[in-house]
Amino acid sequence: MLQNTTVGKLHEMKLGMMATSFQEQLDDSAVAQLSFEDRFGLLVDAEWVSRKNNRLKRLIRKADFAFPEACLEDIEYHADRQLDKALITRLGACNFIDEHHNIIILGATGSGKTYLANAFGMAASRGFHTVRYIRLPELLAELAVARAEGTYRKVMRQYRLLKLLILDEWLLYPLKETEARDLLELTEGRYKKASTIFCSQFDVGGWHQKIGESTLADAICDRIVHDSYTIVIGGEDSMRKRKGLAEEP
């Protein structure tokens, strides 16, 4: 009876995994040979691991990855891709996030930019950093709606506070002036405070033309380029073509 009461109290305190582990101990005669400290330690470990796993699942879900299965260990280093494995491995430790640096990933359509960026994002999630993946056109549309609804500052603050923001399709289309100002607001708010991964088909030298107004372009690029690691993905064949999949946007 006392055992059932204990299990009930553990559930009431939202210690469900500890309750399950306690019940398993009661049903396992071998555990009875352990000391109180060892048995209690096993209960705490079970609850701790469960909470860590649940937290990781929430972070991955909220990140909204395009490739939630992406991982750095699966990156394919074909010779024509010209990837620097040592650099990618070093960045995979996510020290760049603690140091508030950015990553620029450049490559042609289908070269694997999105997958690589998501793999970095997954590594960051496993380090329990907050991450969000979003295509730049979707972000700009979201900010436009927020402005119309009067929630612009709230939405912008949410993006500024992310430890790692992954912006795919960076400057795929020329920007309107209001969109350029939104990007300046975002890059200024995250400058030396958080990290961003930019995935682009266009070399950095062509960003000014895409942004438009020269003063805004200078300000935006100045807050990105000088604090970024750059990865250029080479190769004439896209990764999707190699795998027989449809071309990415």
Side-chain angles (χ1 to χ4, degrees):
M1 189 68 169
L2 178 61
Q3 295 167 349
N4 292 336
T5 301
T6 300
V7 170
K9 288 178 179 178
L10 288 172
H11 281 295
E12 186 178 337
M13 291 186 292
K14 302 187 184 304
L15 298 172
M17 184 52 66
M18 185 177 284
T20 300
S21 183
F22 177 61
Q23 189 64 60
E24 290 173 351
Q25 286 192 10
L26 296 177
D27 297 335
D28 188 348
S29 58
V31 177
Q33 309 302 317
L34 300 176
S35 66
F36 171 79
E37 290 82 359
D38 289 340
R39 293 183 65 177
F40 186 70
L42 291 173
L43 296 177
V44 173
D45 285 347
E47 185 66 33
W48 183 85
V49 169
S50 175
R51 294 196 175 206
K52 282 285 188 179
N53 288 338
N54 289 337
R55 182 184 173 194
L56 178 57
K57 290 177 182 178
R58 288 194 300 271
L59 286 170
I60 293 174
R61 184 177 66 253
K62 290 181 178 179
D64 199 20
F65 291 118
F67 295 102
E69 76 285 358
C71 65
L72 293 173
E73 292 78 10
D74 289 340
I75 298 298
E76 297 183 15
Y77 293 93
H78 300 289
D80 62 323
R81 300 189 81 196
Q82 302 174 11
L83 292 173
D84 186 337
K85 186 174 183 179
L87 174 61
I88 290 174
T89 300
R90 180 156 56 89
L91 293 175
C94 294
N95 291 329
F96 75 95
I97 296 177
D98 298 325
E99 297 166 355
H100 307 144
H101 294 312
N102 305 313
I103 299 176
I104 298 171
I105 303 177
L106 304 175
T109 299
S111 61
K113 301 184 299 297
T114 300
Y115 186 94
L116 179 56
N118 279 231
F120 283 129
M122 282 297 297
S125 295
R126 289 197 295 265
F128 298 98
H129 295 294
T130 53
V131 183
R132 176 71 194 280
Y133 165 86
I134 190 169
R135 297 168 53 250
L136 181 60
E138 292 177 347
L139 172 62
L140 295 174
E142 183 179 338
L143 293 176
V145 171
R147 181 182 289 103
E149 295 179 346
T151 59
Y152 180 84
R153 288 297 168 191
K154 177 182 177 181
V155 173
M156 184 63 76
R157 183 173 183 274
Q158 291 172 346
Y159 279 104
R160 285 203 310 265
L161 292 178
L162 290 166
K163 287 294 185 180
L164 178 62
L165 175 61
I166 301 172
L167 292 178
D168 205 355
E169 298 183 7
W170 173 252
L171 301 180
L172 185 60
Y173 309 107
L175 300 181
K176 301 174 183 176
E177 183 175 342
T178 54
E179 293 173 336
R181 292 187 181 279
D182 285 342
L183 288 188
L184 177 58
E185 177 85 7
L186 182 62
T187 53
E188 172 63 29
R190 296 177 60 78
Y191 183 57
K192 293 190 179 299
K193 298 175 185 175
S195 299
T196 307
I197 297 178
F198 302 89
C199 300
S200 180
Q201 298 181 33
F202 305 98
D203 290 337
V204 175
W207 289 6
H208 278 70
Q209 183 178 357
K210 291 286 186 177
I211 295 172
E213 205 279 321
S214 60
T215 303
L216 289 174
D218 286 341
I220 292 170
C221 291
D222 185 64
R223 286 160 177 75
I224 297 174
V225 178
H226 304 301
D227 278 325
S228 296
Y229 295 94
T230 300
I231 298 174
V232 180
I233 305 178
E236 296 182 1
D237 290 334
S238 74
M239 290 303 295
R240 297 198 175 225
K241 182 177 180 181
R242 277 191 169 104
K243 296 177 180 296
L245 302 174
E247 287 285 318
E248 68 175 9

